[in-house]
Amino acid sequence: MMIKIVKSLYIFLGFFFFGLGLLGIILPLLPTTPFLLLASFFFVKGSEKFEIWFKGTDVYKNHLEGFVKNKAMTLKQKLTILIFADCMIAIPFFLVDSILIRVILLIIVGYKYYYFIWKIKTVT
């Protein structure tokens, strides 16, 4: 019973993030790739049927397949994710008075840039 509830939650979250990813295609403020990566993760955890369906969609093929197969992204995808993540990290950075938390957030930002620059190939 509990496993069925958890799998249903994963499927729901898969569709939720898939919807946000679709909005990200239309709205330049929302990053498409991270939401689709989350959707893929939740579909894999939730149901093999939905995983197969998701991987067969044009959205997956156009926005994620290259990253999943080749660990590569376009420069635009990288910049969109980095800028969006920086904005999200800036909120607690400026709202929190703790020096320790600010240092941790700066380390996260530094590692994020290191990973995107050196570990993920840039393709055209």
Side-chain angles (χ1 to χ4, degrees), residues 7-73:
K7 286 192 177 276
S8 296
L9 179 62
Y10 282 144
I11 293 167
F12 170 78
L13 289 171
F15 279 108
F16 176 75
F17 287 112
F18 180 65
L20 287 177
L22 289 176
L23 282 175
I25 293 170
I26 301 165
L27 302 172
L29 294 175
L30 285 177
T32 303
T33 307
F35 289 133
L36 294 178
L37 283 170
L38 282 169
S40 180
F41 170 81
F42 286 118
F43 283 136
V44 166
K45 293 285 188 182
S47 164
E48 185 177 345
K49 176 181 147 185
F50 285 113
E51 175 191 1
I52 292 167
W53 167 81
F54 179 68
K55 288 181 177 180
T57 64
D58 288 338
V59 173
Y60 176 84
K61 290 176 182 173
N62 293 337
H63 295 277
L64 278 186
E65 193 170 51
F67 175 73
V68 171
K69 286 184 177 178
N70 306 319
K71 275 267 198 185
M73 294 178 141

Side-chain angles (χ1 to χ4, degrees), residues 93-113:
F93 183 85
F94 291 113
L95 292 178
V96 174
D97 289 334
S98 171
I99 298 296
L100 177 63
I101 291 177
R102 285 184 176 180
V103 168
I104 290 170
L105 290 173
L106 288 174
I107 291 169
I108 290 169
V109 168
Y111 180 76
K112 177 177 57 88
Y113 277 93

Side-chain angles (χ1 to χ4, degrees), residues 31-34 37 73 76-86 112 116:
T32 303
T33 307
L37 283 170
M73 294 178 141
K76 181 181 176 186
Q77 287 174 318
K78 284 183 172 185
L79 290 174
T80 302
I81 292 169
L82 289 169
I83 291 169
F84 181 77
D86 286 344
K112 177 177 57 88
F116 272 77

